[in-house]
C-alpha cells in the first residue's frame, strides 16, 4: 500500500491528562495513514506502556506506528522508526527491523541528506520545517521550491513537516508532498471530536 496521507505525530504536552489514547484514536478514525509516537522524556516504563497501547490502537485501524528516536523500542514492538540526523544509523535500523518496516529519515532542507538516507535504506524522506512551528520553533527552515526539487528527483515517499495546518496543507501537496506530518495543527484542538474532524479534512485533501 502506498505511503500517502496524514501522518499524525503525538506530543506529550498536548496529549497529557488522559488525552493520549482518545485523541490518537480520533486521529485514526479520521484516516491518519501513519502515527508517530514522539515522547522526549526518559521515562522508559511509561514510554513502553504508551507505545504498546498505541500499537494495539493502530492495529485496530490499520494505521502503521513508528517510534521517534528509539530503535530499541521500535524493535521490541515490531514497528517502524523515525530517525533524525543525530539519532543513529538508518542502515542499522533497516537491518534490525527488516525489509518491510517503515524507516523514516529527517532530511531538513537538504537533497543530499535525502540521497544519503535513501541509499541507507530509508522508506521515506522528511523535509521541513515549512512554516513557523509551535512544537519545534528552532527546526531549520525549508521552502516549497526545495520540495518541488525533491519531487522531481525522488520517487520515494516525501514527508513535509513543520507548522502544517489545514489551510497551509494544499500548497505542500501541490508541491509534491505524499505525507503531511502534523502535531499542533491536528492535536491542538479542543476535543477528540475536533481532532477527528481535522484528521478527516486532512485525509480528504489527498483524495482530489
Ligand atoms: C516525520 C518526521 N520528520 C521529521 C522529524 C524530526 O526528527 P528530528 O530531527 O530527529 O527531531 P525530533 O522529532 O526527534 O525532535 C520527525 N520527528 N518526524
Ligand atoms: C518534530 C518536528 N520536526 C521538524 C523538522 O522540521 O524537522 S518540525 C517539527 C515539529 C512539528 O510539529 P508542528 O506540526 O506542531 O509544527
Ligand atoms: Mg529525533
Amino acid at each position: 500500500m502506498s505511503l500517502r496521507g496524514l501522518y499524525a505525530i503525538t506530543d506529550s504536552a498536548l496529549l497529557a491528562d488522559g488525552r493520549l489514547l482518545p485523541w490518537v484514536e480520533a486521529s485514526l478514525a479520521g484516516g491518519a495513514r501513519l502515527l508517530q509516537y514522539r515522547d522526549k522524556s526518559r521515562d522508559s516504563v511509561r514510554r513502553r506502556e504508551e507505545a504498546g497501547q498505541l500499537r494495539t490502537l493502530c492495529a485496530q485501524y490499520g494505521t502503521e506506528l513508528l517510534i521517534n528516536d528509539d530503535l530499541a523500542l521500535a524493535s521490541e514492538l515490531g514497528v517502524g522508526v523515525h530517525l533524525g540526523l543525530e539519532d543513529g544509523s538508518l542502515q542499522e535500523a533497516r537491518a534490525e527491523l527488516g525489509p518491510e518496516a517503515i524507516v523514516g529519515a529527517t532530511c531538513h532542507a537538504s537533497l543530499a541528506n535525502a540521497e544519503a538516507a535513501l541509499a541507507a535504506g530509508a522508506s521515506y524522506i522528511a523535509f521541513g520545517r515549512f512554516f513557523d512551528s509551535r512544537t519545534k520553533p528552532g527546526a531549520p527552515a525549508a521552502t516549497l521550491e526545495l520540495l518541488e526539487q525533491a519531487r522531481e528527483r525522488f520517487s520515494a515517499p516525501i514527508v513535509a513537516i513543520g507548522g502544517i495546518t489545514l489551510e497551509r496543507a494544499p500548497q505542500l501537496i501541490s508541491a509534491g508532498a505524499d505525507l503531511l506530518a502534523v502535531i499542533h495543527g491536528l492535536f491542538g484542538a479542543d476535543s477528540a471530536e475536533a481532532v477527528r474532524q481535522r484528521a478527516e479534512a486532512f485525509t480528504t485533501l489527498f483524495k482530489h
Side-chain angles (χ1 to χ4, degrees):
M1 226 199 331
S2 75
L3 285 182
R4 191 168 164 78
L6 172 64
Y7 185 171
I9 302 184
T10 68
D11 179 89
S12 327
L14 282 178
L15 300 177
D17 303 324
R19 290 194 291 271
L20 179 66
L21 296 181
W23 290 36
V24 164
E25 179 160 17
S27 75
L28 305 186
R33 174 71 181 81
L34 299 181
L35 176 75
Q36 182 185 128
Y37 177 57
R38 181 174 182 272
D39 178 305
K40 291 296 195 178
S41 80
R42 290 173 186 273
D43 186 342
S44 56
V45 173
R46 183 175 52 76
R47 283 166 54 75
R48 186 175 285 120
E49 188 183 336
E50 288 183 348
Q53 291 168 330
L54 294 179
R55 182 180 61 173
T56 302
L57 212 45
C58 282
Q60 285 165 13
Y61 284 86
T63 302
E64 285 173 87
L65 176 66
L66 290 86
I67 308 293
N68 186 45
D69 292 343
D70 191 341
L71 175 58
L73 181 56
S75 179
E76 186 181 319
L77 294 176
V79 300
V81 72
H82 180 94
L83 297 178
L85 295 181
E86 314 293 330
D87 297 330
S89 156
L90 291 164
Q91 260 163 335
E92 274 178 34
R94 172 59 67 209
E96 172 77 24
L97 300 180
E100 304 299 328
I102 302 179
V103 174
T106 295
C107 301
H108 296 304
S110 163
L111 299 177
N113 283 346
E115 290 275 10
L118 292 172
S123 313
Y124 67 72
I125 43 181
F127 297 98
R129 93 193 125 80
F130 284 95
F131 306 100
D132 290 343
S133 168
R134 289 206 209 183
T135 309
K136 199 161 179 181
T143 63
L144 286 176
E145 291 69 34
L146 177 277
L147 188 54
E148 286 164 353
Q149 288 167 13
R151 182 71 292 159
E152 270 185 32
R153 190 181 308 186
F154 304 111
S155 57
I158 293 177
V159 178
I161 190 169
I164 300 175
T165 59
L166 275 166
E167 293 68 33
R168 293 165 172 168
Q171 57 192 302
L172 294 167
I173 297 172
S174 297
D178 296 296
L179 289 148
L180 298 182
V182 189
I183 300 180
H184 200 277
L186 177 63
F187 290 120
D190 291 333
S191 65
E193 175 54 21
V195 170
R196 191 195 61 74
Q197 287 175 11
R198 287 185 186 191
E200 210 167 79
F202 274 113
T203 301
T204 301
L205 292 174
F206 287 92
K207 293 183 176 151
H208 298 304

